Amino acid sequence: MTVVAAGAIALLDDVGRDEARRRAIEELVKPEYQQESLLERFYRMFREFLDSLLDSTPGGVPGGVLALLVVLLIVAALVVLVVWRARKATGARRAAAEGLFGPKARTAGEHRAEAERLAGESRWAEAVQERLRAIARDLEDRAIVAPQPGRTADELAVTAGRELPSLAPALAAAARLFDDVTYGQAPGTAEGYRSMSDLDADVRAARPAAAGVS
């Protein structure tokens, strides 16, 4: 009798599993699941996860205060991630709109002095930006490159590299470093600033190729 009962229970368990599997498959092949985006799918899975936590114990408090804190931390982390990405995108758009020289017009000497001040405060990313601006303004003042509103660091490197071919690789590297700290949110380093300062000195001592031929 016991064997028969056990066999019946096992049969019912198998039927239950098969039925649950069948229903799950039918649910997943519904059109709304096939058409949902990755973001919608993530939101649905997260919502189902929260629902399972809330339903796991009576009273709607899953596992006590600790589980509730975990849920709140997850939500807070998602909010911080969204805000950080939005600020990063806004900063990149603002920097691109301002161009190479930024919002304030300065002389080469003023850019250079500001770069040194920022370097003294270990604000390396901003110091790198100001040093390349000093290089760009110096090149314009000496008529090695023509002034061009909205010029990017890459465009400066290409134009100046044609006039100063021996410094073309260093100019290209400086433009990449400027882009990294300006648009890529790289922190900047003391080594990067030193390389930019060395390039500044080399540019100030260099003569355009056309002048050398003459």
Side-chain angles (χ1 to χ4, degrees):
M1 186 66 177
T2 303
V3 174
V4 173
I9 293 173
L11 179 59
L12 289 174
D13 289 342
D14 291 339
V15 172
R17 284 194 294 270
D18 292 340
E19 179 66 16
R21 189 182 302 111
R22 182 184 65 79
R23 290 183 180 180
I25 293 173
E26 290 177 352
E27 185 73 15
L28 289 174
V29 297
K30 286 182 178 179
E32 55 266 30
Y33 286 109
Q34 300 300 315
Q35 297 175 2
E36 68 178 355
S37 66
L38 182 61
L39 181 60
E40 291 171 337
R41 185 176 304 174
F42 174 78
Y43 173 74
R44 176 176 57 78
M45 293 173 62
F46 180 69
R47 188 181 59 190
E48 291 173 354
F49 169 70
L50 291 182
D51 290 341
S52 66
L53 285 179
L54 293 174
D55 294 339
S56 61
T57 61
V61 183
V65 178
L66 180 60
L68 182 60
L69 287 175
V70 170
V71 173
L72 292 176
L73 286 174
I74 293 173
V75 174
L78 290 174
V79 172
V80 170
L81 178 62
V82 170
V83 171
W84 175 76
R85 289 184 64 87
R87 287 183 176 178
K88 181 178 178 180
T90 301
R93 286 194 297 269
R94 185 185 302 114
E98 291 172 351
L100 176 61
F101 290 109
K104 185 176 180 180
R106 287 174 169 156
T107 66
E110 289 172 338
H111 282 299
R112 204 168 282 120
E114 180 66 5
E116 286 296 299
R117 183 186 71 81
L118 293 167
E121 298 175 1
S122 297
R123 295 163 61 180
W124 301 116
E126 296 165 275
V128 163
Q129 291 173 324
E130 288 299 318
R131 202 74 189 204
L132 184 65
R133 288 165 180 160
I135 293 171
R137 189 67 76 191
D138 185 75
L139 289 168
E140 290 182 355
D141 291 344
R142 293 163 59 200
I144 295 177
V145 301
Q148 178 184 320
R151 171 183 276 138
T152 66
D154 290 330
E155 291 170 343
L156 174 72
V158 171
T159 305
R162 286 196 293 263
E163 301 299 324
L164 305 171
S166 63
L167 297 179
L171 286 164
R176 287 194 298 271
L177 179 58
F178 180 89
D179 288 344
D180 287 343
V181 301
T182 304
Y183 309 116
Q185 305 298 313
T189 63
E191 291 77 13
Y193 179 71
R194 279 196 293 270
S195 69
M196 197 73 79
S197 299
D198 292 342
L199 176 62
D200 187 13
D202 292 340
V203 168
R204 294 169 71 184
R207 299 176 61 196
V213 172
S214 300

